[in-house]
Amino acid sequence: MSFSSRSRQPSFYGLTPSQRPLHVRVGKKEISILISNDHWGSAEQLREEFNQSSLIESLNTEDLTKIELTAHFLKFITERADQDDIQSFYPLVLIVFEHLRERYLKKNDVHAATRGLPTEARNVVIRAYFTALASLNRETEFDLSQYQNSPSALFTAAKNNKASLFAVFGGQGANEDYFNEFVEVYSVYESIIAPYVEAMSQIIRDLSVSEFGKSVHPKPLDILGWLKNPESLPDSQYLIWGPVSLPVIGL
């Protein structure tokens, strides 16, 4: 599937005859996104579904910011498009994605642009950003190369022999909260790291139930199962045990 230039997010310096603003309001916060007439019907449908979703009831509307509202709306329409593979919704995902980038991120890296936000709000924006980006990359033929991060200045300097790199091994640590940190990372970046985590978790699990693995691990290292079913997570003493914490932290 390819998008024409009319599907691209237009400039906010003025309307054209083929565009009109879609107003999305939650509590006292309202955002306006320019939508082309080609996609207006789908945009209205998604806005109504968003307003009637259970998500709205869970939001703290008093502290809700416009960037958070935009991110929530973006994630909602992305998941709605993916849910039934509705191709007519993907141009809207792109429009709202570019609105988020241009209006709030100022086309900067999402991590840098959101570093001043509270942690929860920052995670909402980053999660929505990568959920939409992964979906567009998977379901459309739109050229997403413009959204790739710039190369690391440090690695570039090292490659050009202008800087040196060295590694310091400090052990895997025994922080009892390390798995909670893993859960948070997975919840924010699931859309882009899930395939890797699923594949590596299966390898680690298979090794833990092998003949040798059973001699070390009294029960399988089911990392993906622990992520999906928190009630199955072993106690902290088991998690910080070296044969468990080393492969999990390494993952």
Side-chain angles (χ1 to χ4, degrees), residues 106-169:
K106 308 300 182 184
K107 297 186 178 181
N108 293 313
D109 175 79
V110 64
H111 300 93
T114 59
R115 61 187 174 187
L117 295 176
T119 300
E120 184 176 350
R122 186 171 190 254
N123 287 345
V124 165
V125 176
I126 295 174
R127 184 183 299 115
Y129 181 94
F130 283 109
T131 297
L133 189 59
S135 179
L136 290 169
N137 186 56
R138 181 177 62 251
E139 301 293 342
T140 74
E141 297 176 1
F142 184 72
D143 181 12
L144 302 177
S145 60
Q146 61 181 304
Y147 305 127
Q148 294 178 353
N149 292 333
S150 301
S152 165
L154 176 60
F155 289 159
T156 299
K159 184 177 180 180
N160 295 330
N161 296 319
K162 295 182 179 180
S164 299
L165 302 176
F166 63 92
V168 177
F169 178 72

Side-chain angles (χ1 to χ4, degrees), residues 10-29:
S11 168
F12 271 78
Y13 291 108
L15 288 167
T16 70
S18 62
Q19 301 164 352
R20 44 181 160 165
L22 179 76
H23 302 291
V24 180
R25 184 181 182 87
V26 173
K28 297 179 180 179
K29 289 296 185 295

Side-chain angles (χ1 to χ4, degrees), residues 24-43:
V24 180
R25 184 181 182 87
V26 173
K28 297 179 180 179
K29 289 296 185 295
E30 180 179 273
I31 57 174
S32 297
I33 304 170
L34 295 184
I35 305 293
S36 67
N37 290 336
D38 292 347
H39 307 302
W40 185 256
S42 296

Side-chain angles (χ1 to χ4, degrees), residues 45-57 76:
Q45 176 186 340
L46 287 171
R47 178 183 59 186
E48 293 309 308
E49 291 185 12
F50 177 71
N51 287 336
Q52 296 172 15
S53 68
S54 58
L55 169 66
I56 301 299
E57 298 179 0
F76 177 85

Side-chain angles (χ1 to χ4, degrees), residues 4-12 19 32-36 91-103 142 147:
S4 68
S5 60
R6 296 180 67 186
S7 299
R8 298 290 301 277
Q9 172 63 28
S11 168
F12 271 78
Q19 301 164 352
S32 297
I33 304 170
L34 295 184
I35 305 293
S36 67
L92 289 169
V93 174
L94 175 61
I95 289 171
V96 180
F97 176 77
E98 292 197 334
H99 174 78
L100 175 68
R101 288 189 71 248
E102 295 177 9
R103 187 67 177 263
F142 184 72
Y147 305 127

